[in-house]
Every structure is written in C-alpha cells, then in structure tokens.
Amino acid sequence: MTKDTPLKTDVLVIGCGIAGASAALEAAKRGLHVTVITQATAPEESNTFYAQGGIVSLGPDDDPELLRADIIKTGDGISNPEAVDILVRESKPLVDSILIDELKVPFTRGDGSKLDFAQEGGHSRRRILHVRDTTGRTIEERFIEALRRQPNVVLMADHTAVDLLTVPHHSRDPIAYYHEPRCIGAYVLDNGARTVKRIFAAQTILATGGCGSIYLHTSNPRGTIGAGYAMAYGAGARIVNMEYIQFHPTTLFHRDADSFLISETVRGEGARLKTRDGRTFMQDYSERKDLAPRDVVTRAIYEEMINTNSDYVLLDLASYAKIDIRKRFPNIYRTCRRFGIDITREPIPVVPAAHYSCGGVLADGWGRTSLAGLYAVGEVSCTGLHGANRLASTSLLEGLVWGTRAGRDIAARFEGGVPFKASDIHEWYYPAREEAIDPALINQDWLTIRTTMWNYAGIVRTTKRLERALADLEYLLHRIEKFYREAAMDVKLVGLKHGIRVALMITHAALANPVSLGAHFRVD
Ligand code: SIN
C-alpha cells in the first residue's frame, strides 16, 4: 500500500449532526480551519436528520426552574446539576440567536404567527419548538448549508474515523512517553478508496452520535453503532453511565418499517396507548398517564405486551386528536400510509426501540474530555445532563449548546497548530496479505450482537441475561479482532469492530450496576 499524504487542520470534527455542525460553525466563524468528516455519503445523514419531535425552548407560561425540575425528575435524580444549569441558562438564547435569527429555521407558528410549542412526556409545560414533524431534518439542512458557505470549512463525506491518533500511543518517538497523553487527530478511512489517511488536528471533536443500532430494534439510522465510544475508549478517555440506554416507547410495528419513529409529540396531541383489544393502560402505571417519562412508558408497554402475549400495542391518535392530523404530522401520516395505516382513522401498531444513550464520553461544561486535545459533544458525550433517563427533545438542544460552547472554547484557547511532526506518527498498518471480507460473516456477527443486546441487555435486565451476554460477546470479540487484523480495510468491518466493543461496554456497565434507575432496569 502507498504512503498516505497526511492532512492538517486546526479542528477535526468527527460527525456532523447538530452537535458537530454547531461546533464546526462556531470554530470556523472564529477564524479556525475546520475539517468535518462523516461516514455518510450525504452530510445531512445523521441522527439529527431523523429527529421528529423538536427542540426544547421556553414556552409562554414557562419558567427555567420548571425546566430544571423536569430534567432532574426525568433523569431519576442523578443529573449533573452544573450541566442542567448550563442547558437551562443557554437554551433560549442559543435557539433564538443561532436557529431562528442566523439559520432562519422555519419553526411552526400558530395563531397570529406566534411560535407553536408542542408537548412531550415528562414536561410540565408546552415548550418544544418544532417544524411540524421534521424538525431535525430542517435544522440539519440549514446547518449544512451554513457550513458550505464557510470558506475555512472542509466537509469530507464518505470518510470514516477508524481510530483516534494519540501520543504516545501512535508515536515513534520514545521521548513522547514522558508527556501527557494527547489526541492529535484520527486515522480516517476513505470509504471508496479503502485507504486510511492520517488527519492531524490541534483539537479533535467527537460528535459521532449514539449507538442505538447495536440493538435489534432501534429508531436510529443503521450506521449509529457507537464508533465514538469505541474510539474514545481505545484512546483512554473516561466513559461513564453506559448502562443508561433509553428506549423510545413508540416506533412503528411493521416488518418493513425499520422501526420508524412515532414521535412522542403524537401523545402530546392527545394520543393514547391501548392494548390490541382497545384497553387504555397508562393510567395504571403513572399519574401522568401517556405523558409519563419514556422509561416508565416503555416498561408499561413491555409488561402489557407480555401480559397479552402480543408483539405490539396500539397508539390511538384518531380517536383523541383535536388538531388537523395530516397538517401537524405530515411525515408520520405519509409514512404510515405507505404501510397501509391511515392514522386519521385507525390506531398505529407500535413497539419500543433503542433510541438514545444517556451515558458516554465524560465531558465538562465546554465539551472537554479527560484526554487532552479531545472534545466530545452531543449524544456521544456524557455531560451528566440526562442522568439515568433523558427528557424528551433535549438532545438537539444539548447538541446545539455543547457544540457551540466547544467551538467557542477551542477558539478562545487556541495556541496554534498540531504539536507533533507527521513523520513521528505511524502510518496505518496494512496486513501483508489482505483477505477480502465476506459479507455473510459480517451480517451474522451483527445479528448475534443485535439479538444478544436486545434480549439480554435491553429494556428489562437480569444478572443471568447479562452474564450470558458478556460470555457470548467476549467470544465474538476474539473472532472479530482476528478477522480485522487480517482483512482488507472496509467501512463495514470498521463498524463491526467498534460495535462489538460498545456492546461489551454497555453489558459490563449494566452488570456492574445492581441499582435500577431510569433507563437501567434490573429485576433481580
Ligand atoms: C420524539 O419525537 O419522540 C423524539 C424526540 C426525542 O427523542 O427527544
């Protein structure tokens, strides 16, 4: 394999949903050279793109103290108070200045062109701004347009981060061992050419999103396999709270629908959950009924499915809505219609699916991690904001707030380029005889990971199930690592190597924590 030509940049952003895009935009506006990589072919493709519900701001009858209390209560009391303070303080000013004034996001307006605020579970007020039911897509498209207008931003689609570059680990210089460990960029795979280059950066920002796709059923796009957690772990950064995987209560139950999300704002507009024989049940589980926090609703559905020996429950909007359903939820209406369900007339079959990781790479109020030179923002990070369970529609907001703060912090503290010579850092190692990858092996390994996580480390966990998961996943890890060392570089293989690591991280964390809290529920 030929030598790579290393690239250099002030800031390398890995991932380009709302968190990565806001960090990139902020750093670029402050004069830094920013390189953004994304494994997707279209840079818009990200978890953000699929977010339907909206983004928390402050409603007309609202109060920051009420928002603070809702976040802490939903997080089951273990949210980081400093992170909650930052979010509560900065939410409205940043939504107004960046999303509304700068990016001109066309949030839905009601009577007299006043902003329309939606309701979701766990919120004591209507305070969620939305663009009908395609909020994430609209925000993401505006961010990508803004990044494309910045002359000092390079957007590299179809590029996948393989590993973080760290010294002393990747250094040829023995003296490097006497200095503090530091991230200096990443090894990055060009998906098409299948070659790995070194991108050196003074500061690297992980914004890779979550890991829903290591579960059999997920509301996330299939590429969301937790690459950022695996890379940060490999580089020695601290990772916390990985047991708190949030399951969204309602995704479409249909063989071909790939767990399409049915937004919680649907329940915010009055929809009620019912068993297949038409019995409402959330009143038996919470005084907030269908608008209880997600963990409560998810477990109630799980229980009802077991009790009624059913693969799904029903979400009935048609009987309760006081709004024009097609106008308010055009995307959900159209998608369900494609699968033969008319949501204006009949209930929607729904099941829970893995949705969001509340834990991740430990990050402070500016997104700095425990590893010098590395920031983490958005879902891949754990600021502690979400505690054991995330309050609905705070994820886009956390991405915006921490992305913007990280961009500002990096610019304010910037001291010049990468403090290492490219020649000191190892190029990517390719095996002498590269084996072609066999997709059947990769598919089978993924099936094992996904079914193991769903059945043994999912909504309800027991010691026995988790121990079985650990044994099966550890065995698989050996096989995958051997396979990885010998095979030709390929984006699918990189994903598998990251995915198995993340599955193990979650299983270890779940096994080590016997206390049920929020999204982590043990029954032994
Ligand atoms: C939804 O619309 O239900 C998802 C919003 C979120 O996850 O915060």
Side-chain angles (χ1 to χ4, degrees), residues 52-53 120 248 261 263-264 294 355 390 392-393 395:
Q52 295 176 1
E120 286 188 72
H248 195 289
L261 186 72
S263 173
E264 209 162 299
R294 276 181 194 167
H355 185 60
R390 177 172 67 81
S393 284
S395 56

Side-chain angles (χ1 to χ4, degrees), residues 141-154:
E141 285 169 349
R142 297 290 160 119
F143 263 114
I144 299 296
E145 283 164 20
L147 287 177
R148 288 200 163 113
R149 286 195 295 269
Q150 288 288 332
N152 46 342
V153 171
V154 177

